[in-house]
Amino acid sequence: GITLKDGGNVGIGTTSPSEKLEVEGSIGVKRIGIAATSTIDMQGNFNFDANSGYSHVFKQAGSEVARILPSGNVGIGNNNPTAGKLVVFANSGYAFRTENTLGFTFRIEAANGNIYTTGDTYVQDGNKIRLGDNNDLQIYHAGGTTGSYIDNYVGHMRFNNYGNDTDIIFQNDDGSGGVTPYLTLDGSASTINVAKNLDIGDGVDNIRVRLGASQDLQLGHDGASSFIANYTGNLDIKNFSDDNDIIFYNDDGSGGVTPYFKLDGSSERLE
């Protein structure tokens, strides 16, 4: 029955309503007519309070579209979102998208999980971008002057540039507040260009430059002497500069060097 109490409180299914309208039992609301919009206009907080153990379920045309579990987990297109606080199920379109007046700013494609953003991504010092099933590739900045790192833990680390006739350029401090190329892998000329002094075995002896498929030509310093060693075929020394010489220098006994002999390219003789 309906109870109308002194003071204006109305009870349906209860004889002691403590609110302006109090209903004990289930409520069914049915829209009559062809209005496109039904409105509930309230002031203050609008509380949906389900009994312990029950979910909030939202339906559209009789089909569930969203659910809030008693734990607070929210499912959109998922009626059992136990895997996380927000679980979205979709097979097409965007599972998540944010926008401003210029268009989208962030989106996740439903079908493949691809992520697109129009802004920068910031990762704090010491936190890593981890790639691979076992986090085998990690990119991070350790903080301060400690530096930035790219760490690989399994397999080869490959740097591939598929831009036609373009380069891979390694730049470093130029000593004046900017950067300058140190090493260039020239894709159009298929050459390696070194723009700075190349110290091989810096502070360590017995490091060799090995040339040839079987390392048959070697250059190095063993701590006492420097050497050029050839292990297969002739050792040819060629000077293609017109009318110029090949000159061999050695100690002059006074802290310098002096020519000992030369192959004179203009007169074609040994001096």
Side-chain angles (χ1 to χ4, degrees), residues 99-118:
E99 298 181 349
N100 60 22
T101 55
L102 299 178
F104 90 92
T105 57
F106 182 86
R107 72 189 187 204
I108 302 175
E109 292 186 343
N112 50 34
N114 289 343
I115 298 174
Y116 298 85
T117 179
T118 60

Side-chain angles (χ1 to χ4, degrees), residues 39-40 53 55 129 157 168 171 176 189 221-222 233 240 258 261:
T39 301
I40 300 177
S55 300
I129 298 173
M157 178 179 285
I168 295 177
Q171 297 192 108
S176 302
H221 183 80
D222 62 10
F240 290 98
T258 187
F261 67 90

Side-chain angles (χ1 to χ4, degrees), residues 67-180:
R67 176 183 292 255
I68 304 175
L69 297 183
S71 64
N73 288 8
V74 178
I76 300 176
N78 183 304
N79 62 10
N80 189 30
T82 58
K85 279 300 179 183
L86 175 63
V87 179
V88 179
F89 176 83
N91 287 317
S92 61
Y94 304 122
F96 184 79
R97 178 182 171 106
T98 60
E99 298 181 349
N100 60 22
T101 55
L102 299 178
F104 90 92
T105 57
F106 182 86
R107 72 189 187 204
I108 302 175
E109 292 186 343
N112 50 34
N114 289 343
I115 298 174
Y116 298 85
T117 179
T118 60
D120 295 334
T121 300
Y122 292 88
V123 179
Q124 297 297 312
D125 285 344
N127 295 309
K128 301 179 179 182
I129 298 173
R130 302 171 185 259
L131 305 174
D133 290 344
N134 296 309
N135 304 321
D136 292 319
L137 178 62
Q138 302 181 11
I139 304 172
Y140 62 100
H141 182 76
T145 58
T146 305
S148 300
Y149 298 84
I150 302 175
D151 296 338
N152 179 56
Y153 293 91
V154 175
H156 302 295
M157 178 179 285
R158 301 177 185 274
F159 296 87
N160 297 326
N161 177 17
Y162 291 99
N164 289 335
D165 294 331
T166 59
D167 308 331
I168 295 177
I169 304 173
F170 294 87
Q171 297 192 108
N172 200 12
D173 180 35
D174 64 0
S176 302
V179 293
T180 187

Side-chain angles (χ1 to χ4, degrees), residues 135-249:
N135 304 321
D136 292 319
L137 178 62
Q138 302 181 11
I139 304 172
Y140 62 100
H141 182 76
T145 58
T146 305
S148 300
Y149 298 84
I150 302 175
D151 296 338
N152 179 56
Y153 293 91
V154 175
H156 302 295
M157 178 179 285
R158 301 177 185 274
F159 296 87
N160 297 326
N161 177 17
Y162 291 99
N164 289 335
D165 294 331
T166 59
D167 308 331
I168 295 177
I169 304 173
F170 294 87
Q171 297 192 108
N172 200 12
D173 180 35
D174 64 0
S176 302
V179 293
T180 187
Y182 275 56
L183 179 69
T184 300
L185 310 183
D186 191 315
S188 59
S190 297
T191 59
I192 299 175
N193 303 326
V194 180
K196 300 295 179 181
N197 291 332
L198 182 61
D199 296 335
I200 298 176
D202 186 17
V204 180
D205 287 324
N206 292 312
I207 303 299
R208 303 186 179 191
V209 177
R210 303 171 188 244
L211 305 175
S214 300
Q215 304 174 355
D216 293 317
L217 177 62
Q218 301 183 11
L219 297 81
H221 183 80
D222 62 10
S225 303
S226 299
F227 58 87
I228 301 173
N230 178 56
Y231 295 91
T232 300
N234 299 322
L235 178 59
D236 296 334
I237 301 175
K238 300 178 181 180
N239 178 12
F240 290 98
S241 179
D242 288 344
D243 293 332
N244 285 292
D245 310 328
I246 296 177
I247 305 172
F248 292 83
Y249 288 80

